[in-house]
Amino acid sequence: MEEAKDICLSESRRNAVTNEWNALFAQTPMVPKLVEGNRLVLGVNDLIQSRRPSPTYTALVEDSAAKGGKAIKLLNTHYEWCVTYPMSKVVFAPGVKYRVRAHLRVEPKAGKTGEAFWSGVYDGARNQGKGGCRPKVTEVKPGYQWYDIATITPEGSDYFWIGPGFYDTKTGETTSIEGVWIDQLEIIPAEQN
């Protein structure tokens, strides 16, 4: 606005409007860039926790095994999608396929065999999934591991999501996990290892 000099706003609202715009831009995170070659790594401060009350669905916790010493814990009180990341915040090469991977730690409940977590990439414009991952607790290894979530050609309406493993409450089934911890999300070109 200062550069163009020909933008007109109501004189009585000019300062209020520009202050509101400046506040909005200050709160909006910068668009991440692909870093370390063609690799984007997102940490706990980038991922979006559920808008529901955090103590019920997720918690940001100290975790010495996590990259950066912190992780988002997906609590075992539900199976809702509770951590997301919009692909619209990433600069992608057009038409290129990318792999989305999550760095997770799963603590199974003793004697359970159900799902550890369910995760995927969802196309919000078309209301359809573009791939996902749903391992059983018997298929996960101890400690943090990389899990391939989906291989996609990203579009602006896509977003990553994850929730604790699904269980059927109608049949009396209960969760198979003590918790799931996520500390990183990685997006790399599909042909890259």
Side-chain angles (χ1 to χ4, degrees):
M1 287 177 61
E2 289 169 1
E3 232 174 78
K5 307 269 190 244
D6 60 350
I7 296 173
C8 295
L9 292 173
S10 164
E11 287 299 318
S12 64
R13 291 272 302 140
R14 180 181 171 90
N15 287 340
V17 170
T18 54
N19 288 343
E20 288 168 12
W21 286 353
N22 287 333
L24 176 65
F25 287 119
Q27 293 171 6
T28 304
M30 294 297 290
V31 175
K33 303 289 186 222
L34 291 175
V35 294
E36 298 178 29
N38 286 323
R39 180 174 181 246
L40 174 63
V41 178
L42 303 164
V44 294
N45 294 326
D46 301 304
L47 300 173
I48 300 168
Q49 295 183 64
S50 171
R51 295 193 188 280
R52 296 179 176 102
S54 282
T56 306
Y57 290 88
T58 62
L60 183 61
V61 296
E62 301 288 327
D63 185 349
S64 61
K67 305 275 185 182
K70 290 188 178 186
I72 298 173
K73 182 179 180 183
L74 286 58
L75 305 177
N76 67 358
T77 56
H78 66 96
Y79 52 78
E80 302 291 331
W81 301 0
C82 57
V83 174
T84 61
Y85 188 80
M87 297 300 171
S88 61
K89 291 189 174 197
V90 180
V91 177
F92 291 106
V96 174
K97 283 189 178 286
Y98 288 85
R99 270 187 356 179
V100 179
R101 302 184 335 143
H103 198 236
L104 307 171
R105 176 168 69 89
V106 177
E107 188 178 325
K109 275 194 170 185
K112 299 291 270 185
T113 59
E115 279 187 3
F117 64 89
W118 59 327
S119 182
V121 173
Y122 192 77
D123 180 342
R126 293 178 183 87
N127 294 321
Q128 64 185 23
K130 294 178 89 170
C133 179
R134 296 178 83 146
K136 302 282 188 192
V137 292
T138 54
E139 299 169 334
V140 298
K141 296 178 183 169
Y144 278 93
Q145 305 292 328
W146 283 105
Y147 293 90
D148 285 330
I149 305 303
T151 299
I152 61 166
T153 302
E155 298 177 74
S157 59
D158 295 345
Y159 61 91
F160 161 80
W161 62 269
I162 187 168
F166 181 81
Y167 53 95
D168 190 351
T169 57
K170 293 176 185 169
T171 64
E173 191 178 0
T174 58
T175 183
S176 294
I177 59 152
E178 295 294 343
V180 175
W181 290 257
I182 181 170
D183 66 349
Q184 289 187 326
L185 186 67
E186 179 185 65
I187 302 170
I188 58 175
E191 72 277 354
Q192 185 175 317
N193 289 326

